[in-house]
Amino acid sequence: MKRLPNYTFILVLLFLTINVGCDTASNTENESDDHAAHGTHDNHSSEGTESKKSLPQESHAQIGELHATIAYYSPAVRDRVIWGGLVPYNEVWVTGAHSATRLNISREIAIGDVIVPAGDYAIFTIPGKEKWSFILNKNWEQHLTDDYDSDDDVVRVEVEPTALEKQQERLLYDIVEVSERSGTIEISWDTLMIAIPFKVN
């Protein structure tokens, strides 16, 4: 008498094969999402869903013996009114999204007449129609402006915005070397840019 095949064993084996395949596909999707969330190149983000995110970015510069890094979240314009709309005039703005924008400097710099020791600082601004205030604040670990306190300000200087020739879709920070002892912090978004000069001590 012939023995019938063990169909239960075959069904279990088939189920395990399908389940492992699904887990592999799911992990691949999650890894893709993780890489997108941790990208550091402002001009290489993909369109679609990612264009709606505020992406984490970094800007680095070596100016003489100074190494400077700005870590921030970069929102997109997405056909919105930015100045006087999404970003109100005359209010403290995190100048990014989510958590405060962080400036790290490896050695002392001077902004205007103010000496800024090496360390970490939060960047805030107060946009105006004709002039902006640029602020460095000691409390760099905060969400948006929830914990902002002007008593922690290290620098507050007025700057005039300039019009960009071409719209900047995503908020962009840049640290530009002017000489071995000087540079500028540039913030560009939508139609405007501000530049804050500094000297390396």
Side-chain angles (χ1 to χ4, degrees), residues 20-50:
V20 168
C22 289
D23 285 345
T24 302
S26 176
N27 288 339
T28 302
E29 289 175 4
N30 288 337
E31 287 174 6
S32 176
D33 287 344
D34 287 344
H35 286 308
H38 291 88
T40 58
H41 300 290
D42 185 85
N43 295 324
H44 297 284
S45 60
S46 62
E47 295 300 322
T49 303
E50 197 158 283

Side-chain angles (χ1 to χ4, degrees), residues 132-151:
W132 287 36
S133 293
F134 173 83
I135 300 166
L136 287 185
N137 187 278
K138 288 187 292 186
N139 183 9
W140 60 272
E141 288 185 298
Q142 55 181 297
H143 178 260
L144 298 176
T145 57
D146 296 347
D147 298 320
Y148 172 77
D149 186 342
S150 61
D151 288 342

Side-chain angles (χ1 to χ4, degrees), residues 30-91:
N30 288 337
E31 287 174 6
S32 176
D33 287 344
D34 287 344
H35 286 308
H38 291 88
T40 58
H41 300 290
D42 185 85
N43 295 324
H44 297 284
S45 60
S46 62
E47 295 300 322
T49 303
E50 197 158 283
S51 68
K52 298 180 181 180
K53 297 178 180 178
S54 293
L55 302 178
Q57 306 288 348
E58 289 189 359
S59 178
H60 299 266
Q62 185 76 38
I63 301 175
E65 296 181 0
L66 167 73
H67 182 76
T69 302
I70 297 176
Y72 64 104
Y73 282 87
S74 174
V77 175
R78 292 167 42 206
D79 297 321
R80 296 176 292 182
V81 175
I82 301 302
W83 312 122
L86 182 67
V87 179
Y89 289 125
N90 304 318
E91 293 184 15

Side-chain angles (χ1 to χ4, degrees), residues 103-119:
L103 168 68
N104 173 269
I105 48 176
S106 65
R107 61 180 296 131
E108 181 181 276
I109 66 172
I111 297 178
D113 297 329
V114 180
I115 302 300
V116 183

Side-chain angles (χ1 to χ4, degrees), residues 4 6 9 13 15 18 72 78 81 99 103 105 117 121 130 160:
L4 294 175
N6 190 337
F9 173 77
L13 184 62
F15 172 79
I18 294 172
Y72 64 104
R78 292 167 42 206
V81 175
S99 56
L103 168 68
I105 48 176
Y121 300 91
E130 296 181 359
E160 292 186 9

